[in-house]
Amino acid sequence: MTYVQTFFKEIGIAAKLSKQQSGIVATLPATNEAMEQLPVIAFSAHLDTMFFSESPEVIITNGYIETANKANLGADDKAGVAAILAAARWLTKNDQPHGPIEFLLTTKEEEGLTGAKLFDLDIVDASFGYCLDAPGAVGGMIHTSKTHLQLDFWMEVGVPHEKSAIQVAREAMKKIRTTFSHDVGIAWQVYHFGGEILENGNEKVTILSEFVADFPLQECLPYVEQIKQIFIETGVTYKADVQDVTHMSYHHFSLPETAYLCKLAIKAMQTLGIPEKALQLEGGTDANVFNDRGIPFLVLSTGFQNPHTTSERIAVTELEKLTSLILEIVKTAAK
């Protein structure tokens, strides 16, 4: 954040810190009075990267930026940040007419999209934006994203007991899988299942699970309640105490290809000769949060490969292409 603040100051762009260290918004005014009438376009990326114990030893080999050691490069999302800074510097040094532009750089994206959730939108004027945070070749676009919820359950039984806590939990899970086996567009998956003996001799099972759906939260809630009810009813049957907690990870969004921000990106790609491709991203981005908070955001691929691994890398040509795409979107919007 210190580096980015200094960078914007040196190139003459005013930057504001969002509350609770959730990020920075830098504003580049329109080039003239006529351009001030254009909608404010935002470009966003996140400053944090997935944590690795080793710092990356960055090298360039055969046109690819990668690491020489077993560390994560952090192109997710340093690539998006780098392209934004390069585009911002170019715009301050050239006379290309453009409307008002905002650069949103968030923190703690890798920690549950926390920065975007806390971001102070009172200092943001954007009508729409582009989230530069997806793997794959530049030209990829993510118009839609799933709803993601975390469902955590705890089942406790006293001993001696008709069935163990693990057996009771497994019976509930079997009922859930049978109930939802034919439903299209939803998925329920357990990623942690563990039992323990408490100090009072009772058995306790912890079930951590994910619920993912292709539609908005409101349409998900009946399914979530049904899952909870199955756990509760199974617990009642075998006199097991059941507790649960639901966490909202991120909301579904869906942008039609006919939306202005989508058409604008496609036109810019066509001008640059970049093949556009609609993608489905597994996982959430800051775009999920900004869309849910009322600002339409389209997710764009930034060119990095193998994110969150020690073999993460990005081609120099992809970074150049991404920077050109930002500038072309700005130019196209001003025509």
Side-chain angles (χ1 to χ4, degrees):
M1 288 181 71
T2 301
Y3 174 85
V4 169
Q5 284 180 277
T6 302
F7 181 92
F8 282 125
K9 185 177 181 180
E10 288 176 349
I11 64 173
I13 296 180
K16 295 179 182 178
L17 276 175
S18 179
K19 59 187 178 184
Q20 299 184 63
Q21 294 289 301
S22 56
I24 297 169
V25 57
T27 304
L28 183 61
T31 50
N32 56 55
E33 191 173 338
M35 291 292 158
E36 287 177 1
Q37 309 308 313
L38 294 173
V40 181
I41 302 176
F43 295 93
S44 78
H46 63 88
L47 295 166
D48 62 316
T49 62
M50 185 180 180
F51 176 77
F52 266 66
S53 56
E54 287 189 67
S55 297
E57 296 176 16
V58 181
I59 57 173
I60 299 178
T61 308
N62 299 322
Y64 282 90
I65 304 170
E66 53 192 13
T67 59
N69 59 335
K70 292 296 181 181
N72 177 38
L73 177 64
D76 175 11
D77 192 24
K78 289 177 185 174
V81 175
I84 282 175
L85 299 185
R89 181 167 53 193
W90 190 93
L91 287 166
T92 59
K93 290 185 176 181
N94 292 272
D95 297 325
Q96 177 179 299
H98 61 76
I101 305 166
E102 291 181 334
F103 303 108
L104 274 64
L105 300 171
T106 64
T107 61
K108 300 184 178 180
E109 192 271 353
E110 301 288 0
E111 300 176 36
L113 314 178
T114 303
K117 291 174 181 177
L118 294 175
F119 209 94
D120 183 5
L121 293 189
D122 288 342
I123 62 174
V124 177
D125 295 316
S127 299
F128 60 88
Y130 300 92
C131 180
L132 313 180
D133 183 23
V138 174
M141 296 179 290
I142 292 89
H143 301 90
T144 65
S145 180
K146 301 174 184 289
T147 294
H148 187 283
L149 294 151
Q150 183 173 323
L151 310 180
D152 299 340
F153 296 93
W154 294 269
M155 302 188 79
E156 183 179 339
V157 300
V159 288
H161 201 273
E162 179 184 349
K163 285 194 175 185
S164 69
I166 288 178
Q167 289 174 321
V168 176
R170 283 178 176 164
E171 184 166 323
M173 291 161 58
K174 184 178 179 180
K175 288 179 183 176
I176 293 168
R177 292 193 179 100
T178 302
T179 302
F180 296 116
S181 60
H182 301 296
D183 286 285
V184 178
I186 69 169
W188 180 72
Q189 182 175 356
V190 173
Y191 65 89
H192 173 81
F193 183 88
E196 60 180 318
I197 304 296
L198 302 178
E199 289 183 2
N200 61 6
N202 289 354
E203 296 177 351
K204 184 177 181 179
V205 171
T206 300
I207 305 107
L208 307 182
S209 67
E210 296 175 321
F211 178 90
V212 182
D214 292 327
F215 32 80
L217 176 62
Q218 283 301 112
E219 297 177 36
C220 297
L221 294 180
Y223 294 98
V224 172
E225 289 305 313
Q226 198 171 0
I227 291 172
K228 291 182 179 181
Q229 194 60 34
I230 290 172
F231 269 106
I232 292 169
E233 289 176 355
T234 307
V236 169
T237 300
Y238 296 103
K239 297 181 176 60
D241 179 42
V242 178
Q243 298 180 33
D244 67 86
V245 174
T246 301
H247 303 278
M248 183 75 219
S249 301
Y250 49 83
H251 289 264
H252 158 92
F253 72 84
S254 181
L255 299 169
E257 292 188 18
T258 54
Y260 176 66
L261 76 166
C262 298
K263 291 164 69 175
L264 185 60
I266 291 171
K267 189 172 182 180
M269 291 176 191
Q270 290 173 342
T271 301
L272 295 173
I274 298 173
E276 70 266 16
K277 183 178 181 181
L279 303 174
Q280 178 68 57
L281 181 66
E282 294 299 326
T285 66
D286 284 342
N288 290 82
V289 179
F290 290 135
N291 274 287
D292 183 56
R293 297 184 67 187
I295 307 176
F297 262 79
L298 177 68
V299 184
L300 300 179
S301 293
T302 57
F304 58 79
Q305 304 171 5
N306 312 315
H308 294 188
T309 71
T310 56
S311 58
E312 186 178 47
R313 66 177 189 169
I314 183 170
V316 175
T317 53
E318 287 296 299
L319 269 177
E320 293 170 344
K321 200 180 297 182
L322 180 61
T323 307
S324 296
L325 179 57
I326 295 172
L327 295 172
E328 190 60 38
I329 288 173
V330 170
K331 183 179 178 181
T332 304
K335 291 180 179 178

